Amino acid sequence: MLVERRRNALPFDFLIRVGAAWVIICALLVAINWSAMETLRFPDGDDTLRLVQVRDLLGGQSWFDVTQYRADAPNGGVLMHWARLVDIPIALVILILTPLLGTANAELAALVAVPLITLGLAMVLAARIAWRLLGDEETNFTALIVALSVPVITQLAPLRIDHHGWQLVFILATLNGLMARSAIQGGLVIGGSLAALLAISVEGLPISVIFCAVLALRWLREPKERAWLVHTMQALALISVALFLATRGASDLVAHCDAISLPHLGIFAWGALALGVLARLEPVPMAVRLVGMGATAAGALGFVLWASPQCASGGGFAELDPLVHDYWYIHVMEGMPVWLQSLDVALQYAVVPFIGLYAAISLAGRSRDWLRGFWRDYALVLAGAILVSLLVARAGAAACLIAAPPLAWQLNQWLRALRTMKSPLPRVAGLVAVACALMPTLPLTLADLLIPASQAAPRASAAGQLKESNCHIAASSGVLNSLEPGEAFVPLHAGPQVLAFSHHSVIATSHHRGNTAMKAVIEMAMAPADEARAMMAARGTQYVFVCPNLIEPRNYAYAAPQGFMADLIEDRAPEWLQPVEAAEGTTLKIWKVAY
């Protein structure tokens, strides 16, 4: 039977344990990503554009203005949905180190240091749960599980400066809030963490609803626990308003579906007010409590339908042009359900969370008093996170992190059982099973080693082929910047790199708020060359930059074999394109448009 053992929050011994693991993992990640760091091959276009946004901020663009003016410049740029919160640590590192290292080296330091610091925070917050509630060995195993989780490390590796890593940190901070000794302290931590999570990205809404639902169940089970949900909603409402004013100000009061805006703030305020009133009516019968919570939820839904009906129908992505949806959105695999992923990706996102859920349920069954309730709530949160990750694959990193502490306990139980086995064969089989639980793709890796490459079924994803391409736009920055600044026709996924490594503008990047310009890029790519030229002339587009071996251009060429992109890939560039010699070692092709 497990009993209460909430130890000191951050003792020196704990920090030494986690710190040592963090240093080792950081060294490995730097070594693995050394080549990418040298050539500035960002893992994703969002990371590249994040650097561009920080540069714009440091270059004098308003704190409250997150418009990307070099995307769809003829129409005033694209107002991004990204929050400034994520820009702060990157900008601070650059500002502090620039006098010492110069701008380029200071930027590289920020690109490496900020993700690794985020990793350290995630490791501390995950291991802290094991430290306070489980034991020393479980603390060590939690750090190990975080390090071995591909979905987690992918979001926290060097150059990964986009917002996903900070989302993981604030989800773990919310989990730590569930361990608080008082409802006031816990509500402040939970509500504040959720407010920061949502300010960074509205993608955090599903997990926020899950946490609030778990606290509502606490209240339904025991009326004395009502303060948890009330204080959480109050903190969420107040801190959300403060973060909105601090990062958005009054410059953008439009009702957005893809970022926290006035309708969201109204919902939070309504929830805090309605639940506060309901709490003051206690004690009341269970039926009254249920009706009150139902009325609060119905009021929030009604407010959404009244204030921003477009959000109720799916929001920003639902408003995409069908062409953009078919040739861009459905190819962003991290936003697709798990069952559409390749087998190796699906295993990485699903196996660890489900084992962690089993372990959390087991912990609840073996615990008593407060600890039983905590692990029961923990299992509910993890189950909800798993459900979200099944629908949106990139949410699997959060599920893997939440699963780490209970999985660490389960791993310790398994290893103890293996130590008692006298026969070596079952022990070896058990160790292999444990390894497969921690590294779900291990059987596939072993199969790849045993099966000849010619007989193996291909499992490479589009993302993998993009990363393996030698389209290094950064290597061609000298050539690009020797040309007069102008707008370039560039495939959507390569747009951020052109913005980061040249002074040119682009028609569009792969970001949904530029829906109209994204449609223009796709139409040009698939139209006959003369029609593409006419569309470029209408915009004043001056250049064409294309890497023929990337997936996106080949998708256009496959869909329109006689189209403009197909001509470029098949070396049938029209006469009105004047070739410019690119740098060696890159497949980038550069043309100047002749009018």
Side-chain angles (χ1 to χ4, degrees):
M1 181 70 69
L2 298 173
V3 297
E4 166 75 48
R5 53 167 278 136
R6 279 182 285 184
R7 300 192 285 186
N8 292 335
L10 295 172
F12 182 73
D13 183 30
F14 165 75
L15 294 176
I16 288 296
R17 287 172 181 269
V18 179
W22 175 72
V23 169
I24 295 172
I25 295 169
C26 287
L28 291 173
L29 288 175
V30 168
I32 292 169
N33 292 278
W34 189 264
S35 175
M37 290 158 49
E38 281 188 316
T39 55
L40 289 181
R41 288 202 313 274
F42 288 88
D44 190 85
D46 286 357
D47 304 296
T48 315
L49 200 59
R50 176 69 65 180
L51 176 60
V52 175
Q53 179 167 297
V54 172
R55 285 175 177 172
D56 292 342
L57 174 65
L58 297 178
Q61 187 165 323
S62 170
W63 167 265
F64 297 109
D65 183 6
V66 290
T67 302
Q68 183 43 246
Y69 289 102
R70 290 197 292 143
D72 197 19
N75 294 307
V78 176
L79 176 64
M80 300 298 292
H81 61 289
W82 293 348
R84 284 292 190 197
L85 283 180
V86 180
D87 296 342
I88 294 174
I90 305 168
L92 283 177
V93 173
I94 294 173
L95 283 173
I96 292 170
L97 295 182
T98 294
L100 301 174
L101 305 177
T103 302
N105 288 329
E107 285 186 352
L108 179 58
L111 296 176
V112 176
V114 171
L116 295 182
I117 291 171
T118 312
L119 170 62
L121 292 173
M123 290 180 65
V124 166
L125 290 170
R128 182 175 180 267
I129 297 172
W131 173 264
R132 298 196 73 190
L133 303 181
L134 297 171
D136 296 349
E137 291 181 331
E138 287 84 355
T139 301
N140 298 334
F141 287 143
T142 298
L144 173 65
I145 291 167
V146 171
L148 292 177
S149 176
V150 174
V152 173
I153 292 299
T154 298
Q155 303 294 354
L156 298 169
L159 305 181
R160 196 72 169 105
I161 57 172
D162 196 30
H163 61 269
H164 299 294
W166 290 108
Q167 286 179 294
L168 298 177
V169 167
F170 284 112
I171 288 173
L172 288 173
T174 307
L175 273 175
N176 276 259
L178 290 177
M179 294 191 300
R181 295 182 181 275
S182 73
I184 295 177
Q185 180 188 24
L188 179 61
V189 172
I190 296 171
S193 299
L194 292 180
L197 170 67
L198 293 171
I200 289 172
S201 174
V202 79
E203 293 174 347
L205 267 176
I207 196 71
S208 300
V209 171
I210 291 168
F211 275 107
C212 291
V214 167
L215 296 180
L217 287 175
R218 277 191 181 184
W219 183 351
L220 289 173
R221 290 195 304 263
E222 178 52 66
K224 293 180 181 179
E225 299 290 325
R226 61 187 181 274
W228 281 88
L229 180 59
V230 173
H231 289 307
T232 292
M233 288 304 303
Q234 290 172 346
L236 173 61
L238 291 173
I239 297 176
S240 291
V241 170
L243 290 174
F244 181 87
L245 294 175
T247 60
R248 302 275 292 281
S251 61
D252 182 18
L253 300 180
V254 178
H256 294 295
C257 304
D258 55 2
I260 293 298
S261 53
L262 294 183
H264 299 98
L265 299 179
I267 292 173
F268 302 156
W270 159 253
L273 176 63
L275 293 173
V277 171
L278 180 61
R280 288 189 172 274
L281 298 178
E282 290 283 7
V284 295
M286 173 69 77
V288 175
R289 212 173 294 138
L290 286 170
V291 170
M293 291 183 181
T296 301
L301 179 59
F303 188 82
V304 170
L305 294 174
W306 171 74
S308 51
Q310 72 276 15
C311 296
S313 62
F317 290 112
E319 297 172 354
L320 288 176
D321 183 272
L323 199 64
V324 178
H325 178 275
D326 293 343
Y327 287 94
W328 172 70
Y329 181 65
I330 64 173
H331 294 287
V332 182
M333 293 307 297
E334 65 176 16
M336 295 293 109
V338 163
W339 54 84
L340 295 181
Q341 311 296 324
S342 60
L343 179 59
D344 49 352
V345 172
L347 288 173
Q348 290 169 359
Y349 281 95
V351 173
V352 166
F354 274 107
I355 298 176
L357 178 61
Y358 168 78
I361 294 172
S362 298
L363 281 165
R366 295 180 177 219
S367 304
R368 65 185 183 191
D369 302 329
W370 174 88
L371 205 54
R372 178 187 292 269
F374 173 83
W375 286 117
R376 180 174 52 200
D377 293 345
Y378 199 103
L380 290 172
V381 170
L382 180 52
I386 291 173
L387 178 60
V388 174
S389 70
L390 292 177
L391 300 174
V392 182
R394 63 170 162 256
C400 289
L401 265 183
I402 296 171
L407 178 55
W409 172 82
Q410 185 64 67
L411 175 60
N412 198 28
Q413 298 298 305
W414 285 337
L415 293 179
R416 287 178 178 176
L418 288 174
R419 293 189 198 109
T420 63
M421 294 182 179
K422 296 181 179 180
S423 176
L425 189 59
R427 185 181 297 178
V428 171
L431 288 173
V432 171
V434 170
C436 291
L438 294 177
M439 297 178 288
T441 59
L442 182 60
L444 297 179
T445 303
L446 294 175
D448 286 342
L449 295 175
L450 297 175
I451 299 175
S454 59
Q455 300 178 17
R459 289 199 307 270
S461 65
Q465 295 178 46
L466 283 169
K467 291 175 184 176
E468 292 166 7
S469 168
N470 59 345
C471 180
H472 303 325
I473 293 178
S476 297
S477 61
V479 176
L480 295 177
N481 289 321
S482 69
L483 302 172
E484 288 292 325
E487 182 179 83
F489 167 85
V490 185
L492 300 174
H493 290 289
Q497 295 185 61
V498 172
L499 296 181
F501 302 117
S502 79
H503 53 210
H504 301 292
S505 61
V506 298
I507 298 174
T509 62
S510 54
H511 297 89
H512 67 274
R513 282 204 182 177
N515 176 47
T516 302
M518 294 172 73
K519 179 185 178 183
V521 169
I522 298 171
E523 287 178 333
M524 291 179 193
M526 298 172 60
D530 290 342
E531 292 183 19
R533 181 178 185 271
M535 286 186 275
M536 291 183 193
R539 298 182 56 91
T541 304
Q542 295 173 257
Y543 303 103
V544 172
F545 305 151
V546 172
C547 287
N549 62 342
L550 292 183
I551 289 296
E552 183 187 346
R554 292 191 173 276
N555 284 342
Y556 300 143
Y558 178 80
Q562 304 304 316
F564 176 54
M565 188 62 73
D567 288 345
L568 298 181
I569 289 177
E570 298 297 329
D571 290 325
R572 303 193 304 260
E575 294 181 356
W576 48 270
L577 287 183
Q578 300 174 351
V580 177
E581 187 174 352
E584 294 183 4
T586 174
T587 58
L588 177 66
K589 292 189 175 183
I590 304 172
W591 292 275
K592 186 173 183 179
V593 181
Y595 293 115

